[in-house]
Amino acid sequence: MTLSSLDNSSSLSSTFLLSGIPGLEHLHIWISIPLCFMYLVSILGNCTILFIIKTEPSLHEPMYLFLSMLALTDLGLSLCTLPTVLGIFWVGARDIGHDACFAQLFFIHCLSFLESSVLLSMAFDRFVAICRPLHYASILTNTVIGRIGLASLGRSVALIFPLPFMLKRFPYCGSPVLSHSYCLHQEVMKLACADIKANSIYGMFVIVSTVGVDSLLILLSYALILRTVLSIASRAERFKALNTCVSHICAVLLFYTPMIGLSVIHRFGKQAPHLIQVAMGFVYLLIPPLMNPIVYSVKTKQIRDRVTQAFCY
């Protein structure tokens, strides 16, 4: 073995280093307090939504079954990032092994794209309810909803499954520092000491075929919904129809805005301040699971009444 090969092998990294908030390491223990609160509210909120829908027979309808899928996905996203985020801010545990990192990014990306599919399914639910109200019960049966859920999960798993294996074949040398408190494919691949063109192309394909297609179909659904609503003669009925979509529109904006922003920053915003990347990373994975149960509890009367009843009596 030559001296150069020894140098190369010695420089290979067996772990990655996760990051908190750069420049504020001395405040990490204090920053962990609002982070803990956000995780607690997110987990309790989504568990409450799931419990209410499960125990209330009147909520066993398509709209609420899709909402339970959204809550379950948000719960999974919170639990995926909680160990590494709190590990960094509580005890400064930055090291993460390659296999653990690849497993975490698999679940993060899989659940993120699953959430995109669920939001598309919820848009289809609103489309059928408003544009085809007489056929709503016959189109969105429990069997159809189950198949939609399985198809969404299958698509996410099939598209994300190759990523850990594509990353595992790379050697990693130089600085092993990641920008976030968790692992993402677009970040890990940049640390590889090899040609990452295939990973970059496949990553772009996955984003376009999931987030890109889903967002376009959601826009199409709402264009058709708006056309139907504008054809309703009664102003009160138009308002009532649109009001049933407000919670879903909020969930769509909460999910797609930070996700697209973070993806653009990682791929094209090389000159963007590092603090913006970190902030967008927290918004991307913490805000949707935190806000979705709050939005649906406030805007959906049936859930609001059950939450009020559960905590006030």
Short mmCIF file of all heavy atoms in Angstrom, two decimals, residues 63 122-123 126-127 129-131 219 221-232 234-250 295-296 299-300:
data_model
loop_
_atom_site.label_atom_id
_atom_site.label_comp_id
_atom_site.label_asym_id
_atom_site.label_seq_id
_atom_site.Cartn_x
_atom_site.Cartn_y
_atom_site.Cartn_z
N MET A 63 -62.99 13.03 4.53
CA MET A 63 -62.20 14.21 4.88
C MET A 63 -61.37 13.97 6.13
O MET A 63 -60.18 14.32 6.21
CB MET A 63 -63.12 15.42 5.08
CG MET A 63 -62.42 16.66 5.57
SD MET A 63 -63.59 18.01 5.84
CE MET A 63 -62.52 19.24 6.59
N MET A 122 -56.20 15.01 -0.17
CA MET A 122 -57.17 15.90 0.49
C MET A 122 -57.73 16.93 -0.49
O MET A 122 -58.89 17.32 -0.40
CB MET A 122 -56.50 16.60 1.68
CG MET A 122 -56.06 15.63 2.77
SD MET A 122 -55.10 16.40 4.08
CE MET A 122 -56.41 17.09 5.09
N ALA A 123 -56.90 17.37 -1.45
CA ALA A 123 -57.39 18.27 -2.50
C ALA A 123 -58.42 17.55 -3.37
O ALA A 123 -59.45 18.14 -3.75
CB ALA A 123 -56.23 18.77 -3.35
N ARG A 126 -61.70 17.47 -1.52
CA ARG A 126 -62.43 18.74 -1.60
C ARG A 126 -63.03 18.93 -3.00
O ARG A 126 -64.14 19.47 -3.14
CB ARG A 126 -61.50 19.92 -1.27
CG ARG A 126 -61.03 20.00 0.18
CD ARG A 126 -62.20 20.19 1.15
NE ARG A 126 -62.83 18.92 1.50
CZ ARG A 126 -64.09 18.78 1.85
NH1 ARG A 126 -64.90 19.81 1.86
NH2 ARG A 126 -64.58 17.60 2.16
N PHE A 127 -62.30 18.49 -4.03
CA PHE A 127 -62.82 18.59 -5.39
C PHE A 127 -64.10 17.78 -5.56
O PHE A 127 -65.10 18.28 -6.09
CB PHE A 127 -61.76 18.12 -6.39
CG PHE A 127 -62.29 17.84 -7.76
CD1 PHE A 127 -62.61 18.88 -8.62
CD2 PHE A 127 -62.49 16.53 -8.19
CE1 PHE A 127 -63.11 18.62 -9.89
CE2 PHE A 127 -63.00 16.26 -9.45
CZ PHE A 127 -63.31 17.32 -10.31
N ALA A 129 -66.12 16.70 -3.16
CA ALA A 129 -67.17 17.20 -2.26
C ALA A 129 -67.87 18.42 -2.84
O ALA A 129 -69.09 18.59 -2.66
CB ALA A 129 -66.57 17.52 -0.90
N ILE A 130 -67.13 19.29 -3.55
CA ILE A 130 -67.71 20.54 -4.05
C ILE A 130 -68.21 20.41 -5.48
O ILE A 130 -69.28 20.93 -5.83
CB ILE A 130 -66.67 21.68 -3.94
CG1 ILE A 130 -66.37 21.98 -2.46
CG2 ILE A 130 -67.16 22.94 -4.64
CD1 ILE A 130 -65.25 22.95 -2.23
N CYS A 131 -67.46 19.69 -6.31
CA CYS A 131 -67.80 19.60 -7.73
C CYS A 131 -68.69 18.41 -8.07
O CYS A 131 -69.41 18.43 -9.07
CB CYS A 131 -66.53 19.54 -8.58
SG CYS A 131 -65.45 20.96 -8.37
N LEU A 219 -53.10 22.55 -7.63
CA LEU A 219 -53.52 23.80 -8.28
C LEU A 219 -54.66 23.56 -9.25
O LEU A 219 -55.62 24.34 -9.32
CB LEU A 219 -52.33 24.43 -9.01
CG LEU A 219 -51.29 25.15 -8.13
CD1 LEU A 219 -50.11 25.59 -8.99
CD2 LEU A 219 -51.91 26.35 -7.44
N SER A 221 -56.87 21.13 -9.10
CA SER A 221 -58.06 20.84 -8.31
C SER A 221 -58.74 22.12 -7.84
O SER A 221 -59.97 22.26 -7.94
CB SER A 221 -57.69 19.97 -7.09
OG SER A 221 -57.18 18.73 -7.48
N TYR A 222 -57.93 23.06 -7.36
CA TYR A 222 -58.52 24.31 -6.86
C TYR A 222 -59.02 25.21 -7.98
O TYR A 222 -59.95 26.00 -7.78
CB TYR A 222 -57.54 25.03 -5.93
CG TYR A 222 -57.65 24.51 -4.52
CD1 TYR A 222 -56.71 23.64 -4.00
CD2 TYR A 222 -58.74 24.87 -3.73
CE1 TYR A 222 -56.83 23.14 -2.71
CE2 TYR A 222 -58.87 24.38 -2.44
CZ TYR A 222 -57.92 23.51 -1.94
OH TYR A 222 -58.06 23.01 -0.67
N ALA A 223 -58.42 25.11 -9.16
CA ALA A 223 -58.95 25.85 -10.31
C ALA A 223 -60.35 25.34 -10.66
O ALA A 223 -61.28 26.13 -10.91
CB ALA A 223 -58.01 25.71 -11.49
N LEU A 224 -60.53 24.02 -10.63
CA LEU A 224 -61.83 23.43 -10.91
C LEU A 224 -62.83 23.73 -9.80
O LEU A 224 -64.02 23.98 -10.06
CB LEU A 224 -61.69 21.92 -11.11
CG LEU A 224 -60.84 21.47 -12.31
CD1 LEU A 224 -60.64 19.96 -12.30
CD2 LEU A 224 -61.50 21.92 -13.62
N ILE A 225 -62.34 23.71 -8.54
CA ILE A 225 -63.21 24.05 -7.41
C ILE A 225 -63.68 25.49 -7.52
O ILE A 225 -64.87 25.79 -7.33
CB ILE A 225 -62.46 23.82 -6.08
CG1 ILE A 225 -62.29 22.32 -5.81
CG2 ILE A 225 -63.19 24.50 -4.92
CD1 ILE A 225 -61.40 22.00 -4.62
N LEU A 226 -62.75 26.39 -7.85
CA LEU A 226 -63.10 27.82 -7.96
C LEU A 226 -64.11 28.04 -9.08
O LEU A 226 -65.06 28.83 -8.93
CB LEU A 226 -61.84 28.63 -8.21
CG LEU A 226 -61.98 30.17 -8.13
CD1 LEU A 226 -62.48 30.59 -6.76
CD2 LEU A 226 -60.65 30.84 -8.45
N ARG A 227 -63.94 27.34 -10.20
CA ARG A 227 -64.90 27.48 -11.31
C ARG A 227 -66.30 27.03 -10.89
O ARG A 227 -67.29 27.68 -11.20
CB ARG A 227 -64.43 26.66 -12.51
CG ARG A 227 -65.28 26.85 -13.76
CD ARG A 227 -64.80 25.98 -14.90
NE ARG A 227 -65.06 24.56 -14.64
CZ ARG A 227 -64.82 23.60 -15.53
NH1 ARG A 227 -64.31 23.90 -16.71
NH2 ARG A 227 -65.09 22.34 -15.22
N THR A 228 -66.34 25.93 -10.13
CA THR A 228 -67.64 25.43 -9.66
C THR A 228 -68.26 26.38 -8.65
O THR A 228 -69.46 26.68 -8.70
CB THR A 228 -67.47 24.04 -9.02
OG1 THR A 228 -66.94 23.13 -9.99
CG2 THR A 228 -68.79 23.51 -8.50
N VAL A 229 -67.45 26.90 -7.72
CA VAL A 229 -67.96 27.80 -6.68
C VAL A 229 -68.50 29.09 -7.29
O VAL A 229 -69.55 29.60 -6.87
CB VAL A 229 -66.85 28.11 -5.65
CG1 VAL A 229 -67.27 29.25 -4.72
CG2 VAL A 229 -66.51 26.87 -4.84
N LEU A 230 -67.81 29.63 -8.29
CA LEU A 230 -68.25 30.87 -8.92
C LEU A 230 -69.56 30.71 -9.69
O LEU A 230 -70.25 31.70 -9.98
CB LEU A 230 -67.16 31.41 -9.85
CG LEU A 230 -65.88 31.91 -9.15
CD1 LEU A 230 -64.86 32.34 -10.17
CD2 LEU A 230 -66.20 33.05 -8.19
N SER A 231 -69.89 29.47 -10.01
CA SER A 231 -71.15 29.22 -10.73
C SER A 231 -72.34 29.09 -9.78
O SER A 231 -73.48 29.02 -10.23
CB SER A 231 -71.03 27.94 -11.57
OG SER A 231 -70.91 26.79 -10.73
N ILE A 232 -72.06 29.06 -8.46
CA ILE A 232 -73.14 28.98 -7.47
C ILE A 232 -73.79 30.36 -7.34
O ILE A 232 -73.11 31.37 -7.17
CB ILE A 232 -72.61 28.50 -6.11
CG1 ILE A 232 -71.99 27.10 -6.25
CG2 ILE A 232 -73.72 28.49 -5.07
CD1 ILE A 232 -71.31 26.60 -4.98
N SER A 234 -75.93 31.59 -4.96
CA SER A 234 -76.00 32.16 -3.61
C SER A 234 -74.61 32.53 -3.10
O SER A 234 -73.70 31.70 -3.09
CB SER A 234 -76.67 31.17 -2.66
OG SER A 234 -76.52 31.59 -1.32
N ARG A 235 -74.48 33.76 -2.64
CA ARG A 235 -73.20 34.21 -2.08
C ARG A 235 -72.87 33.46 -0.80
O ARG A 235 -71.71 33.12 -0.56
CB ARG A 235 -73.28 35.71 -1.81
CG ARG A 235 -71.98 36.30 -1.29
CD ARG A 235 -72.09 37.81 -1.12
NE ARG A 235 -70.85 38.38 -0.63
CZ ARG A 235 -70.67 39.67 -0.38
NH1 ARG A 235 -71.67 40.53 -0.60
NH2 ARG A 235 -69.51 40.11 0.08
N ALA A 236 -73.87 33.20 0.01
CA ALA A 236 -73.66 32.46 1.26
C ALA A 236 -73.18 31.03 0.98
O ALA A 236 -72.29 30.53 1.68
CB ALA A 236 -74.96 32.42 2.07
N GLU A 237 -73.74 30.40 -0.05
CA GLU A 237 -73.32 29.05 -0.40
C GLU A 237 -71.91 29.03 -0.95
O GLU A 237 -71.15 28.10 -0.70
CB GLU A 237 -74.29 28.45 -1.42
CG GLU A 237 -75.65 28.10 -0.85
CD GLU A 237 -75.56 27.03 0.22
OE1 GLU A 237 -74.78 26.07 0.05
OE2 GLU A 237 -76.25 27.15 1.25
N ARG A 238 -71.54 30.08 -1.71
CA ARG A 238 -70.17 30.17 -2.22
C ARG A 238 -69.18 30.27 -1.07
O ARG A 238 -68.15 29.60 -1.05
CB ARG A 238 -70.03 31.38 -3.14
CG ARG A 238 -70.71 31.24 -4.49
CD ARG A 238 -70.12 32.21 -5.50
NE ARG A 238 -70.27 33.61 -5.09
CZ ARG A 238 -71.28 34.39 -5.43
NH1 ARG A 238 -72.27 33.90 -6.19
NH2 ARG A 238 -71.34 35.64 -5.04
N PHE A 239 -69.51 31.13 -0.11
CA PHE A 239 -68.63 31.30 1.06
C PHE A 239 -68.52 30.01 1.86
O PHE A 239 -67.43 29.62 2.30
CB PHE A 239 -69.16 32.43 1.94
CG PHE A 239 -68.36 32.65 3.19
CD1 PHE A 239 -67.15 33.34 3.16
CD2 PHE A 239 -68.79 32.13 4.42
CE1 PHE A 239 -66.41 33.53 4.31
CE2 PHE A 239 -68.04 32.32 5.57
CZ PHE A 239 -66.85 33.02 5.51
N LYS A 240 -69.63 29.33 2.02
CA LYS A 240 -69.63 28.07 2.78
C LYS A 240 -68.77 27.01 2.11
O LYS A 240 -68.02 26.29 2.76
CB LYS A 240 -71.07 27.56 2.92
CG LYS A 240 -71.21 26.28 3.72
CD LYS A 240 -72.66 25.85 3.83
CE LYS A 240 -72.79 24.54 4.60
NZ LYS A 240 -74.20 24.09 4.70
N ALA A 241 -68.85 26.92 0.77
CA ALA A 241 -68.05 25.95 0.03
C ALA A 241 -66.56 26.25 0.14
O ALA A 241 -65.74 25.36 0.38
CB ALA A 241 -68.49 25.93 -1.44
N LEU A 242 -66.20 27.53 -0.03
CA LEU A 242 -64.78 27.90 0.05
C LEU A 242 -64.24 27.75 1.46
O LEU A 242 -63.06 27.43 1.66
CB LEU A 242 -64.59 29.34 -0.43
CG LEU A 242 -64.74 29.57 -1.94
CD1 LEU A 242 -64.64 31.05 -2.27
CD2 LEU A 242 -63.66 28.79 -2.70
N ASN A 243 -65.10 27.97 2.46
CA ASN A 243 -64.65 27.87 3.85
C ASN A 243 -64.21 26.47 4.22
O ASN A 243 -63.36 26.28 5.10
CB ASN A 243 -65.78 28.34 4.78
CG ASN A 243 -65.28 28.59 6.19
OD1 ASN A 243 -64.26 29.25 6.38
ND2 ASN A 243 -65.97 28.06 7.17
N THR A 244 -64.78 25.45 3.54
CA THR A 244 -64.36 24.07 3.82
C THR A 244 -62.96 23.78 3.30
O THR A 244 -62.38 22.75 3.66
CB THR A 244 -65.35 23.07 3.18
OG1 THR A 244 -65.31 23.21 1.75
CG2 THR A 244 -66.76 23.29 3.67
N CYS A 245 -62.42 24.68 2.47
CA CYS A 245 -61.09 24.47 1.89
C CYS A 245 -59.98 25.23 2.61
O CYS A 245 -58.80 25.01 2.33
CB CYS A 245 -61.09 24.89 0.42
SG CYS A 245 -62.26 24.03 -0.63
N VAL A 246 -60.35 26.13 3.52
CA VAL A 246 -59.36 27.02 4.13
C VAL A 246 -58.28 26.24 4.88
O VAL A 246 -57.08 26.51 4.75
CB VAL A 246 -60.05 28.03 5.07
CG1 VAL A 246 -59.02 28.82 5.87
CG2 VAL A 246 -60.93 28.97 4.27
N SER A 247 -58.69 25.26 5.69
CA SER A 247 -57.72 24.49 6.47
C SER A 247 -56.73 23.78 5.56
O SER A 247 -55.51 23.76 5.83
CB SER A 247 -58.45 23.46 7.36
OG SER A 247 -59.29 24.11 8.26
N HIS A 248 -57.25 23.19 4.48
CA HIS A 248 -56.37 22.46 3.56
C HIS A 248 -55.40 23.41 2.84
O HIS A 248 -54.22 23.09 2.67
CB HIS A 248 -57.19 21.69 2.53
CG HIS A 248 -56.36 20.95 1.53
ND1 HIS A 248 -56.22 21.36 0.23
CD2 HIS A 248 -55.59 19.84 1.67
CE1 HIS A 248 -55.42 20.53 -0.40
NE2 HIS A 248 -55.03 19.60 0.44
N ILE A 249 -55.89 24.58 2.43
CA ILE A 249 -55.02 25.55 1.78
C ILE A 249 -53.89 25.98 2.72
O ILE A 249 -52.73 26.10 2.31
CB ILE A 249 -55.84 26.77 1.31
CG1 ILE A 249 -56.78 26.36 0.17
CG2 ILE A 249 -54.92 27.90 0.83
CD1 ILE A 249 -57.76 27.45 -0.23
N CYS A 250 -54.22 26.19 3.99
CA CYS A 250 -53.19 26.55 4.98
C CYS A 250 -52.15 25.43 5.11
O CYS A 250 -50.94 25.69 5.16
CB CYS A 250 -53.84 26.82 6.33
SG CYS A 250 -54.82 28.32 6.41
N VAL A 295 -54.33 24.45 13.10
CA VAL A 295 -55.18 24.99 12.04
C VAL A 295 -56.48 24.20 11.93
O VAL A 295 -57.58 24.78 11.88
CB VAL A 295 -54.43 24.98 10.68
CG1 VAL A 295 -55.39 25.27 9.53
CG2 VAL A 295 -53.30 26.01 10.69
N TYR A 296 -56.38 22.86 11.91
CA TYR A 296 -57.58 22.05 11.76
C TYR A 296 -58.47 22.09 13.00
O TYR A 296 -59.69 21.99 12.90
CB TYR A 296 -57.20 20.61 11.41
CG TYR A 296 -57.01 20.42 9.92
CD1 TYR A 296 -55.75 20.53 9.35
CD2 TYR A 296 -58.09 20.15 9.08
CE1 TYR A 296 -55.57 20.39 7.98
CE2 TYR A 296 -57.93 20.00 7.72
CZ TYR A 296 -56.66 20.12 7.17
OH TYR A 296 -56.49 19.98 5.80
N LYS A 299 -60.22 25.67 12.63
CA LYS A 299 -61.09 25.90 11.47
C LYS A 299 -62.14 24.82 11.26
O LYS A 299 -63.08 25.02 10.50
CB LYS A 299 -60.23 26.02 10.20
CG LYS A 299 -59.34 27.25 10.16
CD LYS A 299 -60.16 28.53 10.20
CE LYS A 299 -61.05 28.67 9.00
NZ LYS A 299 -61.86 29.91 9.02
N THR A 300 -62.00 23.65 11.89
CA THR A 300 -62.96 22.56 11.68
C THR A 300 -63.82 22.43 12.92
O THR A 300 -63.34 22.04 13.99
CB THR A 300 -62.22 21.24 11.40
OG1 THR A 300 -61.29 21.43 10.33
CG2 THR A 300 -63.21 20.15 11.00
#
